[in-house]
Amino acid sequence: MKISWNWLSRYLTQIPDPEKTAEILTLAGLEVEEISETGPVLDGIVVGEVLDVRPHPNADKLVLCQVNNGEAEPVQIVCGAPNVATGQKVPVALPGSVLPMTLPDGSPFAIRKAKIRGELSSGMICAEDELGLGDDHSGIMVLEPHHKPGTPLATATGVRGDTVFEIGLTPNRPDATCHLGVARDLAAVTGAGLLKPFDGLPDITGKLPAGTIRITDTDKCHRYAGILIQGITVGESPDWLRQLLLSIGLRPINNVVDITNFVLHELGQPLHAFDYDLLADGRIDVKSFPETVAFTTLDEEERKVPPGSLFICDGEKPVALAGIMGGLNSEIAAHTTNLLIESAWFEPAGIRRTAKSLAMQTDSSYRFERGVDPDITAKAALRCASLILEHCGGKTTGMADIHPVTTQPATIPLRHERLNSILGVALEEDKITGILNRLEITTTPEPQSRPGARMAVWNCQIPTFRPDITGEIDLIEEVARIFDYNKIPDPAHITMANPRPIPFEERFREQVRRAAAGAGLNEIYTNSLLPETWLEELGGKDRVVQTMNPITRDQSLLRTQLLFGFLKSAAWNFNRGASGVAFFEIGNIFRKERDGGTWIPGIHESTHLHIGLAGTPHSGHWKSPVRPYDFFDLKARVESILRQIGLHDLLHWQQDGDQLHLITTDKKFAGTLFMVSRKWKERMDIEPDACSAELDLRVLEEQARQRRDKAYRPVSRFPAFEFDLALVVEKKVPAGDLLKSMHISAGSTLRSVDVFDVFEGGSLKKHQKSIAFRLLFQDNKKTLTIRDVEPVIHRILRDLGDGFGAELRS
Amino acid sequence: MSPVPDIESVKKEISTAILDSPEALESFRLKYLSRKGIITEMLAGIGKAEPGDRARLGKELNALKKTADSIFKNAQKELASSLGKQIRATDDPTLPPPPFPAGSLHPLSRTLDEIKSIFFQMGFTVADGPELEDDFHNFTALNFPAEHPARDMQDTFFVRKNEHRPEEDLVLRTHTSPVQIRLMKQQQPPLRAIMPGRVYRNESITAKSYCLFHQVEGLYVDRHVSLADLKHTLITFAGHLFGSDLKYRIRPSFFPFTEPSLEMDIWWQTGNRSGQWMEILGAGMVHPNVLKSVEIDPETWTGYAFGMGVERITMSRYEIDDIRLLYDNDLRFLDQFP
C-alpha cells in the first residue's frame, strides 16, 4: 500500500521529516518496505522578474534578459523562448540546480553559469515540461504577477516533490488502509494533533424521497448512505489533487472520479459515483441473485458473477458489483450533471468470495475484505460531497443514510497489572491511557471493586474502525507498539525453566548425520515432492500420499523413499561433468497405511537415512586406479556408520535375491542395500552404476535406545593363534552363512574371521567356488597352541560339511 | 708366496680405487684391510725385511694402513648418504595423494546446528512433529480464523479437504508452529523447546521461492514470562549467531497465534545485501486463545514463541542468491561446505 508523506501531512499538526516518519511507522507496526521520491523536485528554482529583454548580438533566435532573482544585483540570462517579455514573473533555475529531466544522452540536466554564443548566462528560464510540472514546451512558464522575486518555486506554486512509502500492511489493520489511519498511528507516537477532514462539515438537510435507496440483503449490506448532487460540471481536477493521486500511482481521470478515489485513500471508505440520470426509476436496491449474472464492469469486461454475489441495482438492473467495481452502464461521463454518491458497508466475507471467484482485486474490494469502519459511512459521503461542490460545482439536493444493522463499539476491560506483567515493564497509568486515547480508545477507570486492589482497571471503548481489537491482549499490544518494543527494558533477572534433557532421537539423528559425513559422504537435501508421473514406481495410489492442488504436476506426490532424490541429484552432477557422487540424506518419507499411522491416522511418516554411490570416486590418479563404486563400497560405508553409532553388533544382514536387508535382533526390518536397476537408471538418465542403501532411522533409533553402556571386554594378554582355512562350496552358498556357522561352532575363543580370498575356475568345478578364511583364536587365560585349536577346527569343519557340503580345498 | 707389492704402487691403487657401490667397498675392504688383505700381509712380512729397514717399513706401512682406513671410512660414509639420494620417480612428496573423501554437511544443516546449539545453551530442549499435519494443529488451535487466506487452496498443499468437515483436512504443514500445539498438549508447563523442521508452500520453484523450506520454532511457557524476556532471548540469540556488535530493530507485526507479535530485523553489512534491514525472525507472546485451545490457563501461564527460516539465514550468511542451489546438490557447491 502506497502512502504519500505530503498527503499524510494534511492530517497532522506537525510531521517529522520523511525518513523519521518511515522509521516511526515501521516501529509502530506499519512496516515501510520501500521509500521512493516522486514528483518534481524544485530545489534551486526560484521566481524571477524579467527586467529587460534585448537581442543577442550573435544569434537571431536568442535574447538577453536582465532578471531579478531576489539578489542585490540582477543577472543576465540568455533565453530562446518566443514568449519572454519584460515585466513577466518566470521560474528561474539558478546555477548549481538540476532540472527534473535528463539530457538526450541520459545525463542529468545541470545548470551552470556559461557563455552562450559569447554572452554570459547565469541560469535558465524554464518551460513547464522542463520542471516536470506539465507537458507545455511552447514557451517559458509565466507565473502569477504577485509572486516576489527570489521565492522558491515550490512555495510559490504549492507544488513540491513527495516521498512515498510502500507499507507492508498486516491483515489485522483495516484502519490503516488510508492516510488518515496511518496519520493516527503517527500522531499516537509523536503526540501531534490529528486533523480529521470530516470534522465540522455541515449536515445535508434535504432528504432523498423515501424508497430511493433500499437494502434487500441486510445481512450483506449493513449501511448505505447516498447523496444526490445536481448540476455539476465534469472536468479536470486541480493540480494538488492530481499530484497526490499521481504520487501513489493513480491516474487522474476526471474531477468526480478523482475525488471519490481521493476520499477512499484519505478515509479508507470506498465510494462510488453513479450518473443519476442513468439509474432507472432513479432508485437503488442492494441485493443478490440466486443465479449467475452476466455483468459488464467499468473496465469493459463482461463477467459471469456467481450466485449470491451482492449487486447495486437500479429500478431494472444491476449497476454495480457491490464493493468491487461499478458497472459500465452507469459510468460518469463528460456530460454527466447529476450524481448519486454511494458510501456503504458491505460484509467482508461476501466481498472476498465474489472478488476471489472473479479473480479481481480493486482498491475497493481490498478494503471491504478487511473490514471498513461502519461508523465512517456517512462522514465519508459528506466529505466527498463537500469536495465535489468545491471542485465540480452543483448543489446537494438530498441525502439518505439507511442503516438496518448498527455496530456498537465494544468495551473491553484492561488491567494495569496484567499489562505490565505481559510486557515485563512498569508503565505509569498516564503513559498507558495517553497512548490508548491518542488511538481514540477511551479509558474509563473502573471503580475499585476489590478491596486492596492497588492497580487500575480501565473499561476501554474500542472505536469501530478497530475490529481487530477483541480482547485485553490486543489492548496490551496497542500500548506496546506505540510505546516501541525496542524501549522495553531487559528483564531484571533471567529465569530458566528447569531444562529438560535433549531427547534421545535428536541426539541419535545428529550422531547419524555426523557418522555419515565421517564416512566420507556429502550431505544432500532433496525435494519431498515428486512428479505425478512417478505414481506407479513409488508404489501406486494405495501407498502414495498425493497433494490435491499442486501448483505444478512436478510437485504432486510425497516421496515414499529417499532414493529418488539421490538419483535426481546424481543425474544433475553427471550432466555437469562429475565422475562420481557419494551422497547421504536424512529426511522424512510418507506412505498410506491401512491401520495405524505414525502421527496422523492412516499415514506412515518416518525419517530415513539414504546413502547413495554412483560413478567413480575420481577420474584418474597415479596411485589409485579408476574403479567404479560397487556394492561393497556401499556396504563398507553402511558398516562404518553402524559402527560409529554403536549398532553394528545389534543388526545382521539377510540376503533377499539382489537385495541385502539389515535386520534387527527382534526381526525388524531396518533397511535395504541394492544396486539400482537399469530401468531406474534409464528413467533418471544415469549411465554409471549406482548403489543405494536406505535405512529407517526410527527402527535404528529403537535399537540404539536398548543399547546400554557395557563394561569393557578385557584385552587378552596372550598372543592370538592364526589359522587359515580354504573351503570349497557350491556357488550358491552365501559366505555370510558360513561365517555365522563358524562362530557358532567355535565358541568364544574364535575372535574374528576374515575372508582373504574368493576364487572360482581353475581346478574347481563349474558350480563350485573356493573361499579362504583367516581365523583368529585368542583366549584370555592362556596362550593357545595347535593342540587347543585343532579340536575346534574339526568341529567347524564337521558343521560346515554337514550344513553346507563344504570341503577343505586340497 | 706372492711377491710383496711395493708400498708406492699399493698407495696409488688405494687412492684411485672407485668405491661407488657396497660391492666395491666390500672388495676394497677384503683386498686391503681384512686379515688376509694385502696391507696386513705386508705388515706380517716386516720380520723378513732387513733389520735396518724394519722401523722405516713399519712406519710407512702403518701410514698406508691409516690412509686405506680413512679412504674406506670416507667412502663408506659417502656411500651411505648417496644411497639415500638414489630416488625413484614416485619418490616425490609433492605429488598429490590419492583422493580421501572428507564428507560434508549441507549448509542448511550447519546453520541449523548453530541455531540449535545456541538455544540448547539457553536451556531449550527440542521437540518434533509431523510434516503432514491436520487442520486442528496447523490452523484451528493456532487461532487462525475460519476464513483465513492460508486455509483456502491458495498457498497450502492439501492432502485431504472436506468442505463440510474442515477438521478432517490434512495439509503439508505451512509452518512449524503446530509442533507447539503438540508439545503443549503432551506436557504441562513449564515448557522450553525449539522445534526445527521442514515446511511447505504451494509455490512454483524460482530463484526466490521453493515449494518447501525449513523453520526453527521456539516456545517458552512458564509463570511470568513477558515480552521483555522474549526480547532478551532474541537479542541474545542474534548476538550469538551474528556477532554481539550487530544492529537490530524489533517492530510490531501480526500472526494469528501470538499477541503482541513482532518481527526482528538486523542491519546487514556484508555482501550483496549490504546496507539493508533484513528480517530474520517473527515472534510474539503466545495468544491466550492458543493456550486455551490446549487447556492451559492463560491467567496462570504466559509464554512466548518465535520462528525463523533456516534458508533465509543460510542464504544471507553465505551470500547465496538463488534458493535452488540448496536443493540441486551440485558437488561444486556442496564441496564448499566441508
PDB file of all heavy atoms in Angstrom, chain A residues 103-119:
ATOM      1  N   LEU A 103      19.094  14.877 -20.099  1.00  0.00           N
ATOM      2  CA  LEU A 103      19.509  15.260 -21.453  1.00  0.00           C
ATOM      3  C   LEU A 103      19.400  14.028 -22.350  1.00  0.00           C
ATOM      4  O   LEU A 103      19.316  12.913 -21.859  1.00  0.00           O
ATOM      5  CB  LEU A 103      20.952  15.768 -21.391  1.00  0.00           C
ATOM      6  CG  LEU A 103      21.106  17.075 -20.593  1.00  0.00           C
ATOM      7  CD1 LEU A 103      22.568  17.396 -20.373  1.00  0.00           C
ATOM      8  CD2 LEU A 103      20.398  18.223 -21.309  1.00  0.00           C
ATOM      9  N   PRO A 104      19.421  14.258 -23.667  1.00  0.00           N
ATOM     10  CA  PRO A 104      19.281  13.109 -24.585  1.00  0.00           C
ATOM     11  C   PRO A 104      20.297  12.000 -24.322  1.00  0.00           C
ATOM     12  O   PRO A 104      20.012  10.823 -24.544  1.00  0.00           O
ATOM     13  CB  PRO A 104      19.505  13.738 -25.967  1.00  0.00           C
ATOM     14  CG  PRO A 104      19.147  15.172 -25.793  1.00  0.00           C
ATOM     15  CD  PRO A 104      19.454  15.538 -24.373  1.00  0.00           C
ATOM     16  N   ASP A 105      21.474  12.339 -23.821  1.00  0.00           N
ATOM     17  CA  ASP A 105      22.467  11.278 -23.559  1.00  0.00           C
ATOM     18  C   ASP A 105      22.254  10.604 -22.199  1.00  0.00           C
ATOM     19  O   ASP A 105      23.057   9.787 -21.774  1.00  0.00           O
ATOM     20  CB  ASP A 105      23.901  11.848 -23.651  1.00  0.00           C
ATOM     21  CG  ASP A 105      24.206  12.827 -22.534  1.00  0.00           C
ATOM     22  OD1 ASP A 105      23.276  13.144 -21.749  1.00  0.00           O
ATOM     23  OD2 ASP A 105      25.367  13.267 -22.428  1.00  0.00           O
ATOM     24  N   GLY A 106      21.195  10.996 -21.509  1.00  0.00           N
ATOM     25  CA  GLY A 106      20.885  10.319 -20.248  1.00  0.00           C
ATOM     26  C   GLY A 106      21.479  10.995 -19.028  1.00  0.00           C
ATOM     27  O   GLY A 106      21.177  10.627 -17.895  1.00  0.00           O
ATOM     28  N   SER A 107      22.326  12.011 -19.244  1.00  0.00           N
ATOM     29  CA  SER A 107      22.938  12.666 -18.079  1.00  0.00           C
ATOM     30  C   SER A 107      21.964  13.692 -17.489  1.00  0.00           C
ATOM     31  O   SER A 107      21.044  14.153 -18.162  1.00  0.00           O
ATOM     32  CB  SER A 107      24.245  13.341 -18.501  1.00  0.00           C
ATOM     33  OG  SER A 107      23.981  14.315 -19.487  1.00  0.00           O
ATOM     34  N   PRO A 108      22.132  14.036 -16.222  1.00  0.00           N
ATOM     35  CA  PRO A 108      21.213  14.991 -15.598  1.00  0.00           C
ATOM     36  C   PRO A 108      21.384  16.394 -16.199  1.00  0.00           C
ATOM     37  O   PRO A 108      22.467  16.775 -16.638  1.00  0.00           O
ATOM     38  CB  PRO A 108      21.630  14.959 -14.121  1.00  0.00           C
ATOM     39  CG  PRO A 108      22.977  14.349 -14.063  1.00  0.00           C
ATOM     40  CD  PRO A 108      23.138  13.512 -15.285  1.00  0.00           C
ATOM     41  N   PHE A 109      20.277  17.114 -16.213  1.00  0.00           N
ATOM     42  CA  PHE A 109      20.263  18.460 -16.781  1.00  0.00           C
ATOM     43  C   PHE A 109      20.708  19.434 -15.692  1.00  0.00           C
ATOM     44  O   PHE A 109      19.892  19.981 -14.957  1.00  0.00           O
ATOM     45  CB  PHE A 109      18.836  18.779 -17.272  1.00  0.00           C
ATOM     46  CG  PHE A 109      18.749  19.939 -18.230  1.00  0.00           C
ATOM     47  CD1 PHE A 109      17.741  19.969 -19.196  1.00  0.00           C
ATOM     48  CD2 PHE A 109      19.638  21.007 -18.171  1.00  0.00           C
ATOM     49  CE1 PHE A 109      17.639  21.026 -20.089  1.00  0.00           C
ATOM     50  CE2 PHE A 109      19.536  22.064 -19.053  1.00  0.00           C
ATOM     51  CZ  PHE A 109      18.535  22.080 -20.011  1.00  0.00           C
ATOM     52  N   ALA A 110      22.040  19.645 -15.595  1.00  0.00           N
ATOM     53  CA  ALA A 110      22.572  20.524 -14.550  1.00  0.00           C
ATOM     54  C   ALA A 110      22.760  21.932 -15.121  1.00  0.00           C
ATOM     55  O   ALA A 110      23.232  22.099 -16.248  1.00  0.00           O
ATOM     56  CB  ALA A 110      23.894  19.975 -14.036  1.00  0.00           C
ATOM     57  N   ILE A 111      22.386  22.913 -14.338  1.00  0.00           N
ATOM     58  CA  ILE A 111      22.502  24.318 -14.787  1.00  0.00           C
ATOM     59  C   ILE A 111      23.830  24.892 -14.290  1.00  0.00           C
ATOM     60  O   ILE A 111      24.157  24.761 -13.099  1.00  0.00           O
ATOM     61  CB  ILE A 111      21.319  25.153 -14.228  1.00  0.00           C
ATOM     62  CG1 ILE A 111      19.985  24.521 -14.609  1.00  0.00           C
ATOM     63  CG2 ILE A 111      21.422  26.597 -14.708  1.00  0.00           C
ATOM     64  CD1 ILE A 111      19.723  24.438 -16.095  1.00  0.00           C
ATOM     65  N   ARG A 112      24.570  25.504 -15.231  1.00  0.00           N
ATOM     66  CA  ARG A 112      25.847  26.139 -14.873  1.00  0.00           C
ATOM     67  C   ARG A 112      25.887  27.552 -15.420  1.00  0.00           C
ATOM     68  O   ARG A 112      25.161  27.866 -16.367  1.00  0.00           O
ATOM     69  CB  ARG A 112      27.009  25.332 -15.483  1.00  0.00           C
ATOM     70  CG  ARG A 112      27.526  24.240 -14.582  1.00  0.00           C
ATOM     71  CD  ARG A 112      28.682  23.497 -15.230  1.00  0.00           C
ATOM     72  NE  ARG A 112      28.314  22.085 -15.409  1.00  0.00           N
ATOM     73  CZ  ARG A 112      27.883  21.550 -16.548  1.00  0.00           C
ATOM     74  NH1 ARG A 112      27.787  22.307 -17.637  1.00  0.00           N
ATOM     75  NH2 ARG A 112      27.575  20.268 -16.595  1.00  0.00           N
ATOM     76  N   LYS A 113      26.732  28.359 -14.818  1.00  0.00           N
ATOM     77  CA  LYS A 113      26.991  29.679 -15.376  1.00  0.00           C
ATOM     78  C   LYS A 113      27.831  29.448 -16.632  1.00  0.00           C
ATOM     79  O   LYS A 113      28.841  28.755 -16.563  1.00  0.00           O
ATOM     80  CB  LYS A 113      27.782  30.510 -14.352  1.00  0.00           C
ATOM     81  CG  LYS A 113      27.676  32.011 -14.543  1.00  0.00           C
ATOM     82  CD  LYS A 113      28.528  32.727 -13.521  1.00  0.00           C
ATOM     83  CE  LYS A 113      27.660  33.200 -12.361  1.00  0.00           C
ATOM     84  NZ  LYS A 113      28.388  34.198 -11.504  1.00  0.00           N
ATOM     85  N   ALA A 114      27.399  29.956 -17.812  1.00  0.00           N
ATOM     86  CA  ALA A 114      28.144  29.637 -19.040  1.00  0.00           C
ATOM     87  C   ALA A 114      27.970  30.749 -20.040  1.00  0.00           C
ATOM     88  O   ALA A 114      27.057  31.580 -19.930  1.00  0.00           O
ATOM     89  CB  ALA A 114      27.604  28.317 -19.615  1.00  0.00           C
ATOM     90  N   LYS A 115      28.872  30.759 -21.032  1.00  0.00           N
ATOM     91  CA  LYS A 115      28.725  31.706 -22.129  1.00  0.00           C
ATOM     92  C   LYS A 115      27.986  31.024 -23.262  1.00  0.00           C
ATOM     93  O   LYS A 115      28.348  29.927 -23.676  1.00  0.00           O
ATOM     94  CB  LYS A 115      30.105  32.183 -22.606  1.00  0.00           C
ATOM     95  CG  LYS A 115      30.629  33.324 -21.743  1.00  0.00           C
ATOM     96  CD  LYS A 115      31.840  34.013 -22.364  1.00  0.00           C
ATOM     97  CE  LYS A 115      32.219  35.222 -21.516  1.00  0.00           C
ATOM     98  NZ  LYS A 115      33.500  35.810 -21.936  1.00  0.00           N
ATOM     99  N   ILE A 116      26.916  31.648 -23.751  1.00  0.00           N
ATOM    100  CA  ILE A 116      26.190  31.089 -24.877  1.00  0.00           C
ATOM    101  C   ILE A 116      26.365  32.046 -26.060  1.00  0.00           C
ATOM    102  O   ILE A 116      25.953  33.206 -25.965  1.00  0.00           O
ATOM    103  CB  ILE A 116      24.703  30.891 -24.533  1.00  0.00           C
ATOM    104  CG1 ILE A 116      24.564  29.913 -23.351  1.00  0.00           C
ATOM    105  CG2 ILE A 116      23.915  30.399 -25.753  1.00  0.00           C
ATOM    106  CD1 ILE A 116      23.182  29.737 -22.809  1.00  0.00           C
ATOM    107  N   ARG A 117      27.012  31.570 -27.093  1.00  0.00           N
ATOM    108  CA  ARG A 117      27.358  32.416 -28.259  1.00  0.00           C
ATOM    109  C   ARG A 117      28.025  33.707 -27.796  1.00  0.00           C
ATOM    110  O   ARG A 117      27.673  34.794 -28.199  1.00  0.00           O
ATOM    111  CB  ARG A 117      26.095  32.766 -29.075  1.00  0.00           C
ATOM    112  CG  ARG A 117      25.423  31.582 -29.716  1.00  0.00           C
ATOM    113  CD  ARG A 117      26.107  31.273 -31.065  1.00  0.00           C
ATOM    114  NE  ARG A 117      25.463  30.180 -31.735  1.00  0.00           N
ATOM    115  CZ  ARG A 117      24.671  30.335 -32.811  1.00  0.00           C
ATOM    116  NH1 ARG A 117      24.469  31.541 -33.310  1.00  0.00           N
ATOM    117  NH2 ARG A 117      24.139  29.303 -33.366  1.00  0.00           N
ATOM    118  N   GLY A 118      28.933  33.568 -26.814  1.00  0.00           N
ATOM    119  CA  GLY A 118      29.735  34.705 -26.393  1.00  0.00           C
ATOM    120  C   GLY A 118      29.101  35.568 -25.318  1.00  0.00           C
ATOM    121  O   GLY A 118      29.716  36.520 -24.826  1.00  0.00           O
ATOM    122  N   GLU A 119      27.889  35.288 -24.932  1.00  0.00           N
ATOM    123  CA  GLU A 119      27.251  36.098 -23.890  1.00  0.00           C
ATOM    124  C   GLU A 119      27.034  35.264 -22.627  1.00  0.00           C
ATOM    125  O   GLU A 119      26.597  34.118 -22.702  1.00  0.00           O
ATOM    126  CB  GLU A 119      25.897  36.646 -24.389  1.00  0.00           C
ATOM    127  CG  GLU A 119      26.028  37.752 -25.432  1.00  0.00           C
ATOM    128  CD  GLU A 119      26.620  39.049 -24.874  1.00  0.00           C
ATOM    129  OE1 GLU A 119      26.463  39.309 -23.650  1.00  0.00           O
ATOM    130  OE2 GLU A 119      27.269  39.795 -25.644  1.00  0.00           O
TER     131      GLU A 119
END
